[in-house]
Amino acid sequence: MRLGIVVVSYKCRELLLACLESIECHLPALLETTVVVDNASGDGAPEAVRRRWPVVQVIEEERNVGFAAAANAGMRVLETCDVVCLLNPDAVLLDAGALAAAAYLSGHPDAGVAGARILNSDGSIQPSARSFPGHRNAFFNRHSLTTRLFPRNRFSSSYLMTAWSHDDVRPVDWVSGAFMFIHRRAREAVGLLDAAYFFSIEDVDYCRRVRDAGLEVVYFPGATIRHRVGGSSRKAVYRAMAAHHRGMWHYYRKHLRGTFLLDAATFVAIWARFGLHATSYALRTLKNRCLGRPNP
């Protein structure tokens, strides 16, 4: 069983180096099958990686092609690997469990994708395995007002799977691309990520395609990372927000289209949501500047 790791980097040099240090600490042999794809960061990350870890292969994109397209470039380099792990640059491995996750996939021919345990900086569980999104989830997702005011309501708990301890292996709808294991059988069945997703939602789409192809998506708690949410998108916050909402619309058109009126209402709701999030972020940023605090 051969495991490879793909890390897509954009303007997060120090976070990327910390991520690679964690691979060196817990899984040093995997540095030889680690590929860093840099999306024209201009921060000296490719040179720093080559100096410190010459065995790591670095791909330098001429422009920011987005996460999915960059991850695909890395996976093509690792096409001989049985399992490829997508790992965010703003995450660090906390153990050597990636080998166990890959071995689980290799030993279960009905499974195509696995996600693993993701922790927040404070050690709490970060929701990384969820139900597929639908219209109702607009009111019960992680950032919705309903979830913030009533975090234990059954609809939010069902979508985010927060009522479960995350201590056992189980089939789920989708897992986070921040720490995702993709077996060769999944790549052969559905191909690579949809490059039309620039940033975000590509993981939801990929898991849906894998499940539609008859393979399972599973949560595997035997591998753990600590993930700093937004660490890799802080240099382009509004662009990341816009890309996330474009991804929501692209996902809807691919998997959830309905009547003309429903489609129009969904389009308006998605972009109204973007406007609210962008305005909220701008106001928080202005407030923090006035108070001399760092930006959110």
Side-chain angles (χ1 to χ4, degrees):
M1 188 274 297
R2 192 163 182 256
L3 171 63
I5 300 176
V6 175
V7 185
V8 177
S9 176
Y10 179 67
K11 296 184 182 296
C12 58
R13 179 180 180 274
E14 297 309 313
L15 291 174
L16 170 65
L17 297 181
C19 176
L20 294 174
E21 285 173 357
S22 74
I23 298 175
E24 182 179 43
C25 175
H26 296 287
L27 296 165
L30 290 189
L31 289 172
E32 294 185 2
T33 52
T34 294
V35 178
V36 171
V37 186
D38 184 76
N39 264 332
S41 298
D43 60 356
E47 296 80 9
V49 172
R50 290 190 180 104
R51 281 195 304 269
R52 182 157 179 184
W53 298 284
V55 297
V56 172
Q57 182 161 341
V58 179
I59 299 174
E60 293 187 67
E61 298 288 357
E62 295 182 355
R63 60 185 179 85
N64 185 357
V65 299
F67 175 82
N72 288 345
M75 284 193 281
R76 291 188 186 99
V77 172
L78 298 173
E79 62 181 356
T80 61
C81 289
D82 302 286
V83 179
V84 174
C85 171
L86 303 183
L87 178 63
N88 269 24
D90 53 4
V92 292
L93 299 180
L94 297 182
D95 54 40
L99 292 175
Y104 179 90
L105 279 180
S106 293
H108 291 77
D110 55 341
V113 169
R117 190 189 302 271
I118 300 180
L119 303 181
N120 292 305
S121 298
D122 63 3
S124 60
I125 291 287
Q126 191 176 114
S128 59
R130 305 182 199 175
S131 302
F132 284 129
H135 287 91
R136 187 178 70 180
N137 298 133
F139 303 100
F140 301 104
N141 62 67
R142 185 174 63 178
H143 301 293
S144 70
L145 181 62
T146 307
T147 301
R148 291 178 179 179
L149 293 177
F150 308 102
R152 296 185 180 180
N153 77 83
R154 65 188 182 93
F155 299 110
S156 295
S157 295
S158 175
Y159 172 58
L160 299 172
M161 303 184 75
T162 53
W164 155 51
S165 67
H166 291 71
D167 290 331
D168 57 308
V169 178
R170 67 165 60 184
V172 295
D173 281 352
W174 67 275
V175 293
S176 171
F179 194 32
M180 175 190 281
F181 296 82
I182 304 174
H183 195 276
R184 182 198 307 278
R185 67 179 71 96
R187 306 196 304 270
E188 291 175 347
V190 304
L192 301 178
L193 302 178
D194 182 349
Y197 295 98
F198 186 85
F199 176 79
S200 183
I201 314 297
E202 69 289 320
D203 44 10
V204 190
D205 174 85
Y206 194 77
C207 291
R208 185 152 200 151
R209 288 158 52 203
V210 168
R211 284 179 52 109
D212 287 347
L215 294 170
E216 283 190 343
V217 174
V218 299
Y219 173 83
F220 181 85
T224 309
I225 63 169
R226 182 171 61 247
H227 179 219
R228 178 183 175 186
V229 177
S232 58
S233 59
R234 291 177 184 271
K235 298 295 184 180
V237 173
Y238 294 108
R239 186 178 185 183
M241 282 187 192
H244 176 75
H245 287 80
R246 281 196 301 271
M248 292 172 64
W249 176 238
H250 181 54
Y251 179 88
Y252 176 82
R253 286 187 299 162
K254 283 184 69 174
H255 302 293
L256 299 172
R257 290 196 82 151
T259 65
F260 172 79
L261 290 178
L262 183 60
D263 292 351
T266 300
F267 178 85
V268 171
I270 286 173
W271 288 105
R273 183 181 187 274
F274 165 72
L276 288 173
H277 279 248
T279 301
S280 175
Y281 181 83
L283 291 175
R284 291 199 310 272
T285 299
L286 180 61
K287 178 181 178 180
N288 286 332
R289 286 178 179 173
C290 291
L291 295 175
R293 299 173 181 170
N295 288 337

